[in-house]
Amino acid sequence: MTITERYEDAQKRYKKIGVDTDKALETLSKIKLSMHCWQGDDVTGFDTKGPLTGGIQTTGNYPYKATTPKELMQDMDETFSFVPGKHKINLHASYAIFEDGEWADRDELKPEHFKKWAEYAKERNLGIDFNPTFFSHPKSEVATLSSSDEEIRRFWVRHGQACLKISEYLAQETGIECMMNIWIPDGLKDVPGNRTAPRARLKASLDEILATDYDKSKVKVAVESKVFGIGAESYTVGSHEFYMNYAAKNNVMCLIDTGHFHPTENVADKLSSMLLFNDKMALHVSRPVRWDSDHVVLFNDDSIELAKEIVRNGYDRFYIGMDYFDASINRVSAWTCGMRDFLKALLYALLQPTDELTKLQDDCDFTSLMELNERLKMMPYGDVWNYYCQKSGVPTEDDWFDECKNYERDVLSKRQR
Ligand code: RNT
Ligand code: ZN
């Protein structure tokens, strides 16, 4: 049977349970994932030479990582060639591209340092999301926006302000709105002497950043919370309660990273509550393994539950960013696997008879609800997925990995080191 024949068969089977597969695929093609540039080089960036800091960690020594903007862009192109649909790219300020020996510190970054990225995106018709980088810098060793050292705090406020202008430039250039996400690593390894003061300073710093004159129709700001980081096990300044309240009072969005809660918390469950009080919210799709380890996203229960909530609440209410970084496996493969698998999860969610599931719940027919949920797991969504890949001009599930291995053999392994 051809891929199309298999699809037609699957289409009939889904129709029997009230699901229109064509409609599901049309919706899927409209969902944009923001592909994080930092999977390609283990979150190294181009503006500093030091190690990755801020309580996040890449582990592994797989060879061939991108070390220049050109290599990173080449690897991103390769990844996009395996991912169905039109997406966005997500940049960190540390990926500024300097020319001719020039360099600017974080508080002096300008739109021109992202000109090459704007060109890259424009040529490919992609939008760009942006992040100030409050880590991997000599001035971020103790604290950033919550620092008790006024000079340091001011430095990072200027960085945040500079990034708003850069985000505005990126939105202007691409003609697509830019989501700018603020995450800081500030926290304490051990028992705090004062929990309030750093949070009050963070609040004041955010106010100063957001007081910048920027085009709110083009730049959408989000704030990302966290429960703890390595070396900040006892206290995180930017906790969930902090940002949820800050966002509500200041008309910015909350960003929920699936790795930033206690390991047994169901992150998908948070979305419906957030959206009863906010029009939109942002996400970092990641995979924690025992801690915020940022493993590659897989097609598993967690991603499926998250995808169901995105679909049920309306995909256009979310800014969906990917956030994982694995240095122990082929990075293009890691990137691709996470992107494809989250799209598969979204497809799985789009192939649900949502009205029927709701009705069974409302009718308190919990026996049938369980049975239908389980039956759905055996439906031929893989055939729908392969058809979508074929239709989108990217390799199917059986083929993409061979092509990825060829890229490693023909391109990655030939990189001069
Ligand atoms: C860290 C946050 C943050 C980073 C990226 C690189 O715990 O998840 O989003 O992963 O900004
Ligand atoms: Zn994140």
Side-chain angles (χ1 to χ4, degrees), residues 309-324:
E309 291 307 311
I310 292 173
V311 165
R312 290 173 186 177
N313 286 285
Y315 71 87
D316 51 350
R317 299 182 71 190
F318 296 90
Y319 291 84
I320 311 171
M322 309 307 286
D323 189 11
Y324 49 85

Side-chain angles (χ1 to χ4, degrees), residues 36 38 43 52 54-56 90 92 95 131-133 135 181-185 224-226 228-229 255 257 259-260 284 286 292 294 322-325:
H36 55 315
W38 52 91
V43 210
L52 174 61
I56 51 179
N90 201 0
H92 247 285
Y95 289 77
N131 305 259
T133 311
F135 53 85
N181 173 48
I182 298 177
W183 171 73
I184 61 162
E224 178 180 8
S225 66
K226 188 159 174 168
F228 82 94
L255 185 146
D257 181 311
H260 289 192
H284 268 181
S286 191
D292 178 34
D294 294 289
M322 309 307 286
D323 189 11
Y324 49 85
F325 24 97

Side-chain angles (χ1 to χ4, degrees), residues 266-275 281 283 302-318 320 342 345-346 349-350 352 354 361:
N266 176 358
V267 179
D269 182 59
K270 299 174 188 303
L271 277 43
S272 49
S273 299
M274 296 297 297
L275 290 177
M281 64 179 294
L283 295 169
D302 292 337
S303 63
I304 290 170
E305 282 309 308
L306 190 73
K308 280 188 201 166
E309 291 307 311
I310 292 173
V311 165
R312 290 173 186 177
N313 286 285
Y315 71 87
D316 51 350
R317 299 182 71 190
F318 296 90
I320 311 171
F342 198 57
L346 287 162
L350 287 162
Q352 298 243 314
T354 305
Q361 178 176 312

Side-chain angles (χ1 to χ4, degrees), residues 174-190:
T174 57
I176 300 172
E177 64 179 19
C178 172
M179 197 276 279
M180 188 187 101
N181 173 48
I182 298 177
W183 171 73
I184 61 162
D186 301 19
L188 294 173
K189 180 183 172 81
D190 232 311

Side-chain angles (χ1 to χ4, degrees), residues 61-346:
N61 271 315
Y62 201 84
Y64 322 131
K65 84 168 178 187
T67 54
T68 62
K70 203 171 150 225
E71 288 176 355
L72 189 63
M73 288 174 184
Q74 187 184 28
D75 292 352
M76 288 168 84
D77 279 340
E78 188 64 16
T79 305
F80 277 129
S81 79
F82 298 136
V83 178
K86 199 84 200 150
H87 301 283
K88 288 181 98 177
I89 60 169
N90 201 0
L91 300 178
H92 247 285
S94 52
Y95 289 77
I97 300 176
F98 302 113
E99 290 189 85
D100 310 323
E102 180 212 7
W103 181 78
D105 208 348
R106 299 262 168 95
D107 63 333
E108 279 176 350
L109 286 172
K110 302 256 161 7
E112 68 213 46
H113 301 128
F114 294 87
K115 190 164 170 263
K116 287 249 170 71
W117 282 114
E119 281 163 10
Y120 173 89
K122 277 195 284 183
E123 277 161 20
R124 291 156 183 79
N125 229 330
L126 300 165
I128 307 183
D129 292 323
F130 198 64
N131 305 259
T133 311
F134 295 99
F135 53 85
S136 300
H137 186 281
K139 286 196 166 68
S140 71
E141 266 159 35
V142 184
T144 64
L145 294 178
S146 77
S147 178
S148 57
D149 179 331
E150 187 57 12
E151 232 174 81
I152 297 228
R153 193 187 70 82
R154 293 281 326 143
F155 173 87
W156 289 111
V157 166
R158 289 196 300 279
H159 176 55
Q161 292 169 334
C163 286
L164 275 174
K165 296 316 271 182
I166 294 164
S167 300
E168 193 177 61
Y169 159 80
L170 295 172
Q172 242 150 23
E173 287 296 304
T174 57
I176 300 172
E177 64 179 19
C178 172
M179 197 276 279
M180 188 187 101
N181 173 48
I182 298 177
W183 171 73
I184 61 162
D186 301 19
L188 294 173
K189 180 183 172 81
D190 232 311
V191 187
N194 185 331
R195 291 178 182 270
T196 309
R199 290 190 171 132
R201 287 191 292 266
L202 172 57
K203 182 167 176 269
S205 300
L206 293 170
D207 288 349
E208 287 169 53
I209 293 172
L210 295 178
T212 310
D213 179 34
Y214 71 96
D215 186 341
K216 298 193 175 53
S217 70
K218 294 200 173 87
V219 179
K220 305 291 169 189
V221 173
V223 283
E224 178 180 8
S225 66
K226 188 159 174 168
V227 64
F228 82 94
I230 294 194
E233 289 84 356
S234 302
Y235 169 73
T236 293
V237 185
S239 62
H240 184 52
E241 293 72 18
F242 176 91
Y243 281 127
M244 201 158 78
N245 285 294
Y246 188 88
K249 288 227 166 181
N250 294 279
N251 209 16
V252 294
M253 287 184 293
C254 268
L255 185 146
I256 296 237
D257 181 311
T258 52
H260 289 192
F261 295 85
H262 286 284
T264 57
E265 255 179 290
N266 176 358
V267 179
D269 182 59
K270 299 174 188 303
L271 277 43
S272 49
S273 299
M274 296 297 297
L275 290 177
L276 283 176
F277 302 95
N278 299 277
D279 287 341
K280 302 212 173 188
M281 64 179 294
L283 295 169
H284 268 181
V285 187
S286 191
R287 181 167 58 102
V289 177
R290 307 203 187 277
W291 67 289
D292 178 34
S293 57
D294 294 289
H295 278 64
V296 174
V297 169
L298 299 179
F299 179 69
N300 63 11
D301 287 350
D302 292 337
S303 63
I304 290 170
E305 282 309 308
L306 190 73
K308 280 188 201 166
E309 291 307 311
I310 292 173
V311 165
R312 290 173 186 177
N313 286 285
Y315 71 87
D316 51 350
R317 299 182 71 190
F318 296 90
Y319 291 84
I320 311 171
M322 309 307 286
D323 189 11
Y324 49 85
F325 24 97
D326 195 332
S328 73
I329 55 178
N330 176 309
R331 293 171 186 79
V332 171
S333 160
W335 239 332
T336 306
C337 179
M339 293 281 285
R340 283 179 68 111
D341 275 19
F342 198 57
L343 288 170
K344 284 182 217 162
L346 287 162

